[in-house]
């Protein structure tokens, strides 16, 4: 039988890599909770129209990248390409603002986009997504950016850069769009087919274009921040002032309109050079009209999403990550000792330790080799001699030093040895 491989653009995350994922997820959860965010889990499938209306039907995501199918009941179903519309839906459907003083939500899980796979870009990928509803003031924009920046720095990721822009609001957007179309003029005919379509449907989307030949024209186009209304200018100034208060430096990027239709005012991304073409670790912004557009009350929203694959790729090599290893390997020589070893392993596991046993009744030499391969810092050895004396031989696997202790004292011995042998990770994430 030929092997059936995984679907293109999807990946198995195996032991050896999964520890890095668990580290990222663990640091993120603890950080989000420190900032007052509560976890929400929404379904992976939603109605197609949620993204058509939410993400926006002139975006590449909706036009080209969604996994949509008709289910057996005739319903059009989409595998979520992003989490923001789902969180807005959950916020509205469950009237969360009545239950939470300031609805601050986060979620994590798989997203699906039919993109061309390459390093850092997959068809099933995973996001950490954070959203806040109902706060108008610019301080929340800065706090969200501070949260995103803290995530990257608490993971120990070096060399990242924050890009910032404001894309205005429905008051100032029409003047900007008109200026954009006027500036394009006849050049529109020299742009790619997608851009010609964008020029007719939603000219702002031209900034999403990646076609090399179009870039010189796009770089000459007007900047959103030169067309902001007074309220958007004041908001943007405040965001910048608050960021200075946080001590976070940024670069204004005029092209940062982001590839989703819902943004108003603040947009931002954190990039990292070491990831090559797929260099956005995370991106987000404010979306003041989305909650209402999805049938909810007129509430503002702001948030960001980080790609977990990209955070994992950008982690430093020496990130202090717990490796999956037992605390103790229990080795036994002889049938009687094996029975006692089963009891000892059970006892250690019940006491909260990771304990493993040789499954095959092999020689003590190969059992020690297994303990080494598993990177167990301690081995507990049981043989006839130990059984007679009601003792266990404890071996420090790094130094080879052996100590005989009473059978009843094994748990205490392992507990005392743990701080010495524990990997640094489990204590705390790396600092800034
Ligand atoms: P986005 O920029 O489309 O924004 O995606 C956010 C992050 O998800 C990207 O910066 C990247 O790290 C990761 N990502 C996106 N596509 C892929 C892919 N094909 N493979 C691997 N990683 C990927 C959003 O999704 C918005 N919902 C963010 C947001 C939340 N805005 C406001 N609230």
């Amino acid at each position: 039988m030929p092997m059936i491989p995984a679907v293109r653009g999807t990946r198995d995350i195996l032991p050896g890599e999964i520890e890095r994922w668990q580290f990222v997820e663990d640091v993120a959860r603890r950080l989000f909770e420190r900032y007052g965010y509560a976890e929400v889990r929404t379904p992976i499938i939603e109605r197609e129209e949620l993204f058509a209306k939410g993400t926006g039907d002139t975006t590449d995501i909706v036009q080209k990248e969604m996994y949509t199918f008709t289910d057996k009941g005739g319903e059009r179903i989409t595998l979520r390409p992003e989490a923001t519309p789902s969180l807005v839906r959950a916020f509205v459907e469950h009237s969360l603002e009545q239950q939470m003083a300031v609805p601050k939500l986060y979620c994590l899980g798989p997203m699906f986009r039919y993109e061309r796979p390459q390093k850092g870009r997959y068809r099933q990928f995973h996001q950490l997504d954070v959203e806040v509803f109902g706060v108008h003031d610019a301080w929340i924009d800065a706090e969200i950016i501070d949260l995103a920046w803290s995530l990257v720095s608490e993971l120990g990721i070096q060399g990242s850069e924050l890009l910032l822009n404001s894309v205005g609001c429905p008051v100032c957007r029409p003047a900007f769009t008109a200026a954009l179309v006027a500036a394009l003029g006849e050049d529109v005919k020299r742009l790619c087919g997608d851009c010609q379509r964008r020029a007719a449907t939603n000219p702002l989307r031209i900034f999403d274009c990646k076609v090399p030949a179009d870039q010189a024209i796009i770089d000459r186009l007007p900047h959103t921040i030169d067309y902001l209304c007074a309220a958007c200018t004041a908001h943007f100034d405040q965001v910048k002032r608050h960021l200075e208060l946080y001590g976070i430096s940024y670069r204004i990027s005029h092209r940062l309109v982001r590839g989703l239709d819902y943004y108003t005012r603040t947009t931002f991304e954190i990039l990292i050079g070491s990831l090559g073409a797929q260099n956005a670790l995370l991106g987000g912004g404010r979306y003041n009209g989305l909650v209402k557009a999805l049938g909810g009350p007129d509430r503002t929203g702001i948030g960001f999403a980080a790609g977990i694959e990209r955070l994992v790729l950008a982690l430093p090599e020496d990130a202090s990550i717990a490796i999956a290893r037992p605390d103790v390997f229990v080795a036994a020589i002889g049938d009687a000792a094996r029975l006692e070893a089963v009891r000892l392993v059970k006892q250690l596991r019940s006491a909260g330790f990771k304990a493993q046993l040789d499954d095959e009744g092999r020689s003590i030499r190969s059992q020690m080799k297994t303990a080494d391969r598993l990177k167990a810092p301690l081995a507990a050895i049981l043989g006839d001699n130990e059984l007679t004396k009601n003792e266990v031989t404890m071996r420090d696997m790094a130094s080879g030093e052996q100590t005989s202790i009473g059978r009843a004292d094994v748990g205490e011995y392992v507990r005392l040895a743990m701080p010495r042998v524990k990997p640094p990770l489990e204590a705390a994430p790396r600092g800034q």
Side-chain angles (χ1 to χ4, degrees):
M1 259 298 273
M3 202 257 310
I4 303 165
V7 173
R8 186 165 137 80
T10 70
R11 303 175 61 235
D12 298 310
I13 304 141
L14 302 174
E17 187 187 353
I18 197 78
E19 295 78 8
R20 297 169 81 77
W21 282 65
Q22 289 165 342
F23 174 70
V24 168
E25 290 168 7
D26 198 40
V27 168
R29 277 179 194 284
R30 280 189 280 165
L31 178 69
F32 297 163
E33 279 161 24
R34 268 189 277 149
Y35 277 68
Y37 287 80
E39 184 178 357
V40 169
R41 298 188 191 183
T42 64
I44 284 166
I45 52 173
E46 298 274 4
R47 290 167 205 269
E48 179 184 26
E49 61 181 311
L50 181 72
F51 302 107
K53 288 206 183 106
T55 310
D57 53 17
T58 63
T59 60
D60 279 358
I61 294 180
V62 171
Q63 294 220 331
K64 304 182 196 165
E65 296 168 4
M66 291 206 309
Y67 282 88
T68 299
F69 61 97
T70 307
D71 74 5
K72 293 195 166 57
E75 190 109 55
R76 294 285 288 167
I77 300 290
T78 296
L79 300 186
R80 63 180 180 193
E82 56 147 344
T84 309
S86 301
L87 285 173
V88 171
R89 180 196 52 68
F91 169 75
V92 174
E93 197 165 338
H94 306 287
S95 309
L96 288 183
E97 68 180 344
Q98 268 136 50
Q99 299 166 41
M100 306 171 87
V102 181
K104 288 181 157 185
L105 310 176
Y106 79 88
C107 83
L108 55 93
M111 309 290 151
F112 304 84
R113 295 184 194 175
Y114 192 80
E115 292 191 85
R116 198 168 46 76
Q118 55 173 264
K119 184 184 169 201
R121 187 166 69 193
Y122 310 97
R123 290 181 176 170
Q124 175 174 331
F125 61 99
H126 299 74
Q127 283 185 344
L128 293 162
D129 185 282
V130 166
E131 314 286 350
V132 192
F133 298 105
V135 186
H136 281 275
D137 202 278
W139 74 264
I140 196 78
D141 303 48
E143 193 193 78
I144 278 275
I145 294 172
D146 169 54
L147 178 58
W149 190 253
S150 301
L151 174 66
V152 172
S153 63
E154 291 202 9
L155 289 170
I157 296 173
Q158 309 283 332
S160 54
E161 184 186 22
L162 169 66
L163 303 188
L164 185 68
N165 194 19
S166 173
V167 294
C169 70
V171 174
C172 40
R173 182 78 52 82
F176 175 71
T177 310
L180 196 61
V181 172
L184 266 176
E186 289 298 298
D187 279 347
V188 74
K189 296 191 190 118
R190 292 168 44 216
L191 293 174
C192 67
D194 273 348
C195 280
Q196 296 192 20
R197 175 180 52 75
R198 290 165 176 144
T201 55
N202 184 356
L204 200 66
R205 295 271 68 87
I206 288 175
F207 290 105
D208 301 338
C209 178
K210 299 266 167 17
V211 175
D214 290 4
Q215 301 309 308
I217 297 174
I218 297 172
D219 282 338
R220 286 198 298 270
L221 293 175
H223 301 158
T224 50
I225 56 170
D226 296 331
Y227 290 81
L228 297 181
C229 59
C232 286
T233 304
H235 187 91
F236 194 46
D237 287 343
Q238 274 181 29
V239 174
K240 290 186 285 185
R241 253 204 313 280
H242 283 293
L243 283 178
E244 276 143 34
L245 213 70
Y246 278 110
I248 297 176
S249 28
Y250 56 82
R251 179 162 66 83
I252 303 283
S253 167
H254 298 297
R255 284 190 55 167
L256 190 68
V257 298
R258 311 232 332 110
L260 307 114
D261 278 351
Y262 44 67
Y263 291 116
T264 54
R265 297 191 170 168
T266 313
T267 53
F268 63 95
E269 278 186 0
I270 296 183
L271 307 184
I272 180 155
S274 60
L275 288 191
Q278 302 310 315
N279 60 354
L281 287 175
L282 59 84
R286 182 173 269 281
Y287 47 88
N288 286 354
L290 182 60
V291 179
K292 190 160 182 227
L294 292 178
D298 192 3
R299 297 289 179 274
T300 64
I302 180 164
F304 73 86
I308 301 185
E309 283 80 358
R310 297 188 191 173
L311 294 176
V312 166
L313 280 169
L315 279 184
E317 270 309 309
D318 64 347
S320 22
I321 289 162
I323 42 172
R325 64 176 187 182
D327 299 322
V328 196
F329 184 85
V330 179
I333 313 142
D335 289 345
R338 269 180 73 75
L339 288 181
E340 186 54 24
V342 170
R343 258 198 293 273
L344 180 56
V345 162
K346 171 72 190 159
Q347 197 185 321
L348 287 166
R349 287 176 180 161
S350 303
F353 298 111
K354 292 187 272 175
Q356 273 195 49
L357 180 72
D358 170 59
D359 299 313
E360 319 248 11
R362 286 170 304 179
S363 72
I364 187 69
R365 242 187 81 150
S366 49
Q367 292 190 49
M368 287 302 104
K369 266 198 196 144
T370 309
D372 261 337
R373 274 190 39 211
L374 292 171
K375 299 195 169 61
L378 285 176
I381 304 168
L382 283 162
D384 290 342
N385 200 16
E386 281 83 359
L387 284 193
T388 320
K389 293 194 195 154
N390 200 25
E391 285 184 346
V392 176
T393 301
M394 299 301 302
R395 181 183 172 89
D396 181 318
M397 294 301 294
S399 66
E401 209 175 290
Q402 299 202 155
T403 324
S404 289
I405 58 165
R407 170 70 180 79
D409 301 329
V410 179
E412 186 61 6
Y413 183 92
V414 175
R415 194 181 65 76
L416 291 174
M418 274 308 107
R420 245 186 323 116
V421 297
K422 246 195 172 144
L425 146 107
E426 301 194 358
R430 284 163 59 95
Q432 318 260 326

